Amino acid sequence: MADHAYDVAIVGSGFAGALIADDLIRSGLKVVIIEAGASFEDEKYLRTTLLESFFNSDESELHAAYSQYLAPTEGLQSYPYYEQLGPTNYTGHYLRQVGGTGLAWLGTSIRMCPNDFRTETAFGRGRDWPISYSDMEPWYCAAERELGVAGTVETDILLGSLHSEPYPMPPIPPTYVDEYVRERTKGLTFDGRSVLISPTPQARNSIDGYNGRPQCEGFASCVPLCPVGAKYDPLIHLRRALLNGAELRQETIVLSLDADATGRVTSATVLCEGKSVEQIEARVFVVAANGIETPKLLLQSNQRSANGLANESGLVGCNLMDHLGKHSCTILPDPVFPYRGPQSTSGIEVLRDGDFRKDRAAFRTALRNDGWRIINNGPIGSETPGEPDLGGSVLHFVEEEGVFGRDLRAKLGHVLVRQFALQSVVEMLPDPGNRISLSKNLKDKNGLPRPAFSLQIDDYTRAGFAAAAELHKKVFHVLNGHADGTFIHLKNDPNKPDAAGSHIMGTAVMGRDPRTSVVNEHCQTHGHRNLFIAGSAPFPTGGTSNCTLTICALALRISDYLKAELPLL
């Protein structure tokens, strides 16, 4: 006998889970959201609490405000939760909390371009999606409305990504950095194409009041959090779903999904607050965890099959993809006054697609407004074992050069205002050998196997890294970047990426053939009619666009399908 029964049970409360819950609850369905993480104890003062953590932390990025919400580290440092099977270590990370990692994203909301859905047909690489850009286009529009995206369609049109609606808001105004680089790169070409600096579509308010959010005030801390709430996060739809009657089960870990002899998923076995084990029944289950926890849950749901649930093809956990980064920085001859405005507001998008994708990976490039922050955790700085000391930070000037007082102030006043960085994200091809599996050696505190990663970077992706490095060099050259202050990440190995982008994709791949995919075009598992996979795990390819907008568009598409088909499931 189950402890609770619902129409729809959603595992995960991030972007996809929150959107689906909000849409379905307004249709009169009984919905429960099952979340392994906890909510914030003082949600009324959420931003104040996180800001204090951020200001008092000497960590960078997610660790600064959310160290206690990272994937379960059990008091250990860095990312020991993963077992690394090599040959390349996987360093992507995520938050286990109500709202998911969406509380700490940058806000970049870029559509995939048409060829991203048909890379095998167009370039002989990767896989084709069973749906096209045209199928997704109305759902992109819906997602842009729900998230509140500010942008302009001109660059999308150059990539063939036509819009049936304009973006809900005009683009965020360019920063001085953007304008400085745009003016000085006019006429620059790369691979025979013009380098065009254009506004980056992003889910933050360029006007006051859209969806009840304030206008962006230009803080430079979008990651790890927006201090004023101008940026979208999943709590917006999650709160609305709860107000309309959805139930949230937080600190509730799904141990397994249980199916009967017909393949129907009947219940979820859950561990509540580390204490009691319960059964949650539902007519339909939607797994909207992330690209790591989703396949992990399917693989450990192995009561009827040793290979796990929905794994008739053997591809659950396979085809792990991410957007690997190439970070570079320089000192410019003129002050550009970084550390003002959102961390990135413009980029180079027009190089994301072309016939070159037959030979090398595509990439998109962001202009950074936050100096060398992503390179050396500026302006304070940090020491990273095994990495070169790039200098240009408070820590470097004090500890390495012995500069103090007025001299330190003068040094910082000269260097910090001239710092500039580029960040390129490079596509990966789906490869069944790149995968997440269940660790045979490591378990978490609940006795569940930890995720094990097997990852290798192929020559196609490495060629994309090298091309990104060449673009960075060309941009720095026309900007007259100071030679002694220019760093293309690990100059002696321009093919080496900096880090994963934590855009975890492809581990429950979508396709029409049950023999070569996990879910169909509706993200419905082939072997279980009432089990759906949301998020980025179903992505057959990842392209170069941050995956959030496509996650949200797919979530709304799944929800629409569920409302129509639920009586038959």
Side-chain angles (χ1 to χ4, degrees), residues 221-266:
S221 62
C222 312
V223 177
L225 77 158
C226 174
V228 298
K231 181 185 66 176
Y232 173 84
D233 67 58
L235 293 182
I236 292 171
H237 282 90
L238 189 60
R239 289 189 187 105
R240 194 163 75 181
L242 297 179
L243 286 172
N244 284 319
E247 184 178 337
L248 173 65
R249 300 288 301 275
Q250 63 185 30
E251 295 187 84
T252 301
I253 296 171
V254 181
L255 304 176
S256 66
L257 295 173
D258 313 307
D260 62 20
T262 69
R264 183 176 184 80
V265 179
T266 56

Side-chain angles (χ1 to χ4, degrees), residues 6-11 257-260 262-268 280-287 298 309-310 519-520 522-533 558 561-562 565-569:
Y6 302 88
D7 292 315
V8 181
I10 302 168
V11 181
L257 295 173
D258 313 307
D260 62 20
T262 69
R264 183 176 184 80
V265 179
T266 56
S267 62
I280 295 178
E281 280 188 355
R283 295 166 61 193
V284 169
F285 288 84
V286 179
V287 181
L298 296 177
L309 197 67
V519 300
N520 65 16
H522 301 295
C523 295
Q524 179 183 34
T525 58
H526 291 296
H528 311 276
R529 284 182 51 80
N530 70 328
L531 175 62
F532 292 75
I533 307 297
I558 291 168
Y561 181 80
L562 279 174
E565 297 295 319
L566 193 64
L568 305 176
L569 295 174

Side-chain angles (χ1 to χ4, degrees), residues 12-34:
S13 63
F15 288 110
L19 281 167
I20 293 172
D22 173 61
D23 192 37
L24 292 182
I25 198 69
R26 288 184 286 121
S27 298
L29 299 173
K30 189 177 181 182
V31 176
V32 63
I33 306 131
I34 308 170

Side-chain angles (χ1 to χ4, degrees), residues 115-298:
N115 278 338
D116 290 337
F117 294 91
R118 53 188 299 273
T119 58
E120 184 176 14
T121 297
F123 310 116
R125 299 283 188 171
R127 300 170 60 117
D128 288 350
W129 291 53
I131 54 178
S132 67
Y133 177 85
S134 296
D135 295 324
M136 286 291 290
E137 201 282 329
W139 299 108
Y140 274 136
C141 291
E144 287 157 358
R145 291 194 301 270
E146 292 292 332
L147 272 61
V149 177
T152 179
V153 303
E154 282 77 3
T155 305
D156 288 342
I157 291 173
L158 291 175
L159 292 168
S161 305
L162 302 181
H163 284 239
S164 59
E165 299 178 15
Y167 284 108
M169 289 179 282
I172 298 290
T175 63
Y176 184 78
V177 173
D178 298 336
E179 298 285 18
Y180 182 95
V181 176
R182 180 187 292 115
E183 183 64 30
R184 286 157 181 77
T185 54
K186 287 180 178 178
L188 180 65
T189 61
F190 182 79
D191 262 0
R193 309 176 81 175
S194 295
V195 173
L196 176 65
I197 308 295
S198 58
T200 301
Q202 48 202 291
R204 63 173 51 84
N205 278 18
S206 61
I207 59 176
D208 190 48
Y210 187 93
N211 281 354
R213 304 199 306 264
Q215 186 174 10
C216 173
E217 295 184 14
F219 288 89
S221 62
C222 312
V223 177
L225 77 158
C226 174
V228 298
K231 181 185 66 176
Y232 173 84
D233 67 58
L235 293 182
I236 292 171
H237 282 90
L238 189 60
R239 289 189 187 105
R240 194 163 75 181
L242 297 179
L243 286 172
N244 284 319
E247 184 178 337
L248 173 65
R249 300 288 301 275
Q250 63 185 30
E251 295 187 84
T252 301
I253 296 171
V254 181
L255 304 176
S256 66
L257 295 173
D258 313 307
D260 62 20
T262 69
R264 183 176 184 80
V265 179
T266 56
S267 62
T269 301
V270 302
L271 177 64
C272 305
E273 299 181 351
K275 300 174 183 177
S276 62
V277 175
E278 298 180 7
Q279 300 289 319
I280 295 178
E281 280 188 355
R283 295 166 61 193
V284 169
F285 288 84
V286 179
V287 181
N290 58 45
I292 295 174
E293 293 292 338
T294 289
K296 179 176 175 294
L297 172 58
L298 296 177

